[in-house]
Amino acid sequence: MRALEPWVEAPLATFLAESSARLTLLMTSAGQVVAQHGFTRAFDVMSAAALGAAIMASTDELARLMEVPAFHALSHQGAHYGLFLSGFDTPRGRWIGLVVFGPESSLGLVQLFFQRMVADLVTVAPGPEPTGQVLGEDFEDELNASLRTLFGQ
Amino acid sequence: MQDLAVALESITRVHGVRGAMVVSVSDGLVVAESLMEDIDGAPIAALTASLATRLRRTTEAAGRRQPTFLHLRADTGTVLAVPSSGDLLVVAIGEQDVNVGLARLEMLHLAERGI
Amino acid sequence: MRSGGAMTDDIRVMTAQLAADPASMVFLPLGEALRQRGQLEAAEKVAVSGLGRYPESADAHDLYARILGDGGQLEQAFDEWDIALRLDPEHVGAHKGIGFLYFVAGDLERALSHLETAARTLPEDAGAQAALARVKETLARQPTGNGDLSGDGAGVLDVPPLDVDGADPARLFAGLEGAEDGLILLDTRGLRLGGGLTSPDGTEVADAVSAHLAGVSQEAGRTARLLGLGSWISLAAESPDGHLFMVAPTTETLLLVVRERSVPLGRLAVVTERAATVARSWLEGLR
């Protein structure tokens, strides 16, 4: 498990221990990775973050078209693995969690402990970050630094 | 689903039972429930399904067929579970002094007649 | 699973209490809880910090000695228990600890003396009684002790670390109903400590079942705790081929009893509780 900010580590570690999730990705709604567990390659985590954020954006747009409240979470169940994707609000803005779990866990367990992790994150999160340019001149440097942190490279 | 809710009430009528539900074992999600207002069914479903799965693997490892009844006794309450056909589990949560024998019979009755 | 979860909660609460009031004596149960969980580094910090404030507390020296003992630092553990006895000559924990160290060092006479004092001071302490009985039994077979310890306890203890293999797990449940087949004591890692189990077709399945049960205690504890039911007491499963009954004799162990379906669950609960008492005494005697 690797996280860009230390305060994310304890809630995420508890979630991983209790849910037995295989892969977990926490990201901002813009797709910027905050923490990851289980991914071994930077390319995978970047793709997963981009796709997860895109799915949540599409779902939000569908809800808007249908004039219904936004969907908080969605899940897919495959033959061996399940996928859980959920957005949630933190003092640092809206985040997205992407979780892949195997037969040693279940959607119910993932949902249960995901909710607890969100509550823990909200409790321990520092205040909002100062606003700045999303894509500043040094965005690529920041991205590369983030990936180095997340993969220890 | 309406029939199922009625059927669950035969379990919740037992002395000491605070709620009964049908749970999907593989998902750990609630299929139907009849619970007291202060009880959240989602954690019961997730945790009981997980425990039942682990005990099924244990009995298999012991060379025994899968359990027909599970009973977790705790300081201030009790969780009972009866696997039904397919992937379903009948679950009841009760007080410490719940009538386990009667609750078990009602749960077995529901499980055996098919959900 | 005490559940693992409930223990974690206890530790959290006690840690918060100690942080709020560093002079609190809560460091004693906190250090012991951490030791029981195998978090020896954290337990040692708590104990040393407590000793800094209460250097004349025999209980604090006893706690530190047990932590050192678990870490295999037996010579230092002896010194701490020795200090505890100087502060409180009737300290049961220190007598048991030093008695144990003399026993593993082969000085049965001194072990007997300390354990007799412990058993006399606190007759209801099953661990002290069990250890005393074991030393007497060993003495009866081998009446001359030749320990390495010097008389004042300052000598070097060249003894093996605490190890459950040092006892006789095969005889753990001797005398109990189904002692040879149908009783398993295992640790939290799913390793069998004692007992045995075969399947209905006669296959030995004790180790496989133990492996599957590795996390059951934690899972049962988590379920009870998160559903607001407190700590778990027992877990029973009925199968068409027999009944399974589980309890946690200590925070680090799980006991499984398996019987034919004709044995009522109520009777199985009694059998399991008896076996749990035996297991607790056996485990305590190892310390």
Side-chain angles (χ1 to χ4, degrees):
Chain A
M1 188 259 287
R2 289 181 180 275
L4 288 182
E5 301 195 52
W7 57 272
V8 177
E9 290 177 3
L12 178 57
T14 302
F15 168 73
L16 294 170
E18 297 284 10
S19 70
S20 304
R22 298 276 183 101
L23 302 175
T24 299
L25 195 55
L26 296 181
M27 61 195 127
T28 67
S29 54
Q32 184 179 359
V33 177
V34 178
Q36 71 96 351
H37 163 79
F39 289 87
T40 54
R41 295 188 303 168
F43 178 76
D44 292 340
V45 77
M46 288 167 67
S47 303
L51 291 168
I55 291 169
M56 287 306 291
S58 304
T59 310
D60 286 347
E61 189 58 20
L62 274 173
R64 194 184 66 78
L65 287 173
M66 293 159 61
E67 297 181 343
V68 297
F71 300 104
H72 295 298
L74 60 92
S75 67
H76 294 288
Q77 184 61 55
H80 299 291
Y81 299 101
L83 182 145
F84 174 75
L85 193 60
S86 177
F88 57 98
D89 292 316
T90 78
R92 290 295 181 91
R94 188 157 180 80
W95 284 11
I96 295 167
L98 183 155
V99 182
V100 175
F101 55 94
E104 65 281 0
S105 187
S106 70
L107 179 58
L109 278 181
V110 169
Q111 281 183 343
L112 174 63
F113 291 108
F114 190 88
Q115 286 168 7
R116 287 171 173 266
M117 176 182 69
V118 169
D120 289 345
L121 285 171
V122 169
T123 302
V124 300
E129 280 183 313
T131 52
Q133 282 182 291
V134 174
L135 292 173
E137 288 177 0
D138 54 355
F139 172 72
E140 280 198 27
D141 288 344
E142 283 184 12
L143 177 64
N144 289 333
S146 298
L147 290 172
R148 277 197 299 276
T149 302
L150 291 165
F151 289 93
Q153 295 166 349
Chain B
M1 195 62 81
Q2 184 71 25
D3 289 345
L4 197 48
V6 171
L8 286 172
E9 284 174 12
S10 66
I11 301 169
T12 56
R13 277 197 294 268
V14 174
H15 171 75
V17 172
R18 302 186 68 221
M21 56 207 305
V22 175
V23 171
S24 160
V25 178
S26 57
D27 294 337
L29 299 176
V30 178
V31 174
E33 64 184 16
S34 172
L35 301 168
M36 285 189 178
E37 275 185 15
D38 60 333
I39 299 177
D40 182 4
I44 301 172
L47 296 165
T48 310
S50 179
L51 194 57
T53 300
R54 189 181 283 272
L55 286 174
R56 193 195 68 224
R57 290 179 188 144
T58 302
T59 49
E60 281 174 2
R64 270 80 177 174
R65 282 171 284 176
Q66 76 156 311
T68 51
F69 177 64
L70 306 174
H71 179 190
L72 173 67
R73 196 161 72 88
D75 281 341
T76 60
T78 288
V79 180
L80 309 172
V82 170
S84 181
S85 54
D87 181 45
L88 299 177
L89 190 67
V90 181
V91 177
I93 184 163
E95 311 282 357
Q96 203 177 20
D97 64 346
V98 63
N99 185 334
V100 175
L102 189 53
R104 172 181 172 277
L105 286 178
E106 293 290 353
M107 294 168 75
L108 284 169
H109 179 64
L110 177 58
E112 281 166 7
R113 82 177 198 208
I115 296 171
Chain C
M1 234 179 44
R2 130 56 217 254
S3 69
M7 173 73 89
T8 307
D9 282 350
D10 293 346
I11 288 174
R12 200 173 292 142
V13 168
M14 290 189 285
T15 303
Q17 284 177 350
L18 191 59
D21 178 15
S24 164
M25 295 299 283
V26 77
F27 79 89
L28 289 171
L30 174 60
E32 175 63 13
L34 290 165
R35 182 188 75 84
Q36 287 188 14
R37 280 176 63 91
Q39 295 175 247
L40 297 182
E41 201 173 321
E44 185 170 357
K45 280 180 186 168
V46 170
V48 169
S49 169
L51 271 172
R53 286 183 179 273
Y54 299 101
E56 306 216 340
S57 163
D59 286 340
H61 287 281
D62 175 43
L63 168 66
Y64 189 32
R66 274 178 275 144
I67 295 164
L68 291 167
D70 282 2
Q73 297 172 266
L74 301 186
E75 186 182 351
Q76 293 92 327
F78 186 98
D79 289 343
E80 287 301 319
W81 273 318
D82 189 45
I83 294 169
L85 283 184
R86 289 171 203 267
L87 293 165
D88 177 1
E90 294 195 332
H91 196 282
V92 172
H95 277 296
K96 280 166 61 179
I98 285 189
F100 170 76
L101 292 180
Y102 274 125
F103 176 70
V104 294
D107 191 336
L108 299 180
E109 297 293 344
R110 285 201 178 93
L112 183 68
S113 169
H114 282 282
L115 291 171
E116 278 180 335
T117 304
R120 189 173 58 245
T121 308
L122 196 61
E124 62 269 33
D125 188 323
Q129 299 289 354
L132 180 61
R134 187 163 169 218
V135 171
K136 283 181 174 172
E137 183 186 328
T138 311
L139 262 174
R141 291 201 306 264
Q142 182 193 340
T144 52
N146 57 348
D148 296 323
L149 295 171
S150 68
D152 61 2
V156 174
L157 279 161
D158 183 18
V159 293
L162 308 183
D163 184 355
V164 294
D165 293 337
D168 185 359
R171 298 183 58 226
L172 170 55
F173 297 116
L176 284 181
E177 176 187 325
E180 304 299 320
D181 181 15
L183 278 163
I184 308 177
L185 181 69
L186 60 132
D187 68 14
T188 50
R189 297 166 299 169
L191 297 175
R192 182 161 54 114
L193 300 174
L197 179 66
T198 55
S199 67
D201 67 7
T203 307
E204 172 58 47
V205 293
D207 289 330
V209 169
S210 296
H212 279 87
L213 285 173
V216 159
S217 192
Q218 285 87 344
E219 182 134 11
R222 177 176 80 171
T223 302
R225 178 170 44 89
L226 294 183
L227 298 185
L229 305 178
S231 299
W232 79 285
I233 296 169
S234 65
L235 185 57
E238 284 184 21
S239 156
D241 309 309
H243 292 159
L244 290 76
F245 202 94
M246 284 151 272
V247 298
T250 67
T251 54
E252 298 132 343
T253 57
L254 182 75
L255 177 70
L256 167 70
V257 177
V258 181
R259 290 291 181 273
E260 296 303 312
R261 196 175 168 81
S262 58
V263 179
L265 274 176
R267 184 175 163 199
L268 196 48
V270 174
V271 171
T272 308
E273 196 42 57
R274 275 187 200 150
T277 303
V278 171
R280 272 190 288 270
S281 296
W282 183 73
L283 290 162
E284 186 67 27
L286 291 173
R287 292 193 180 281

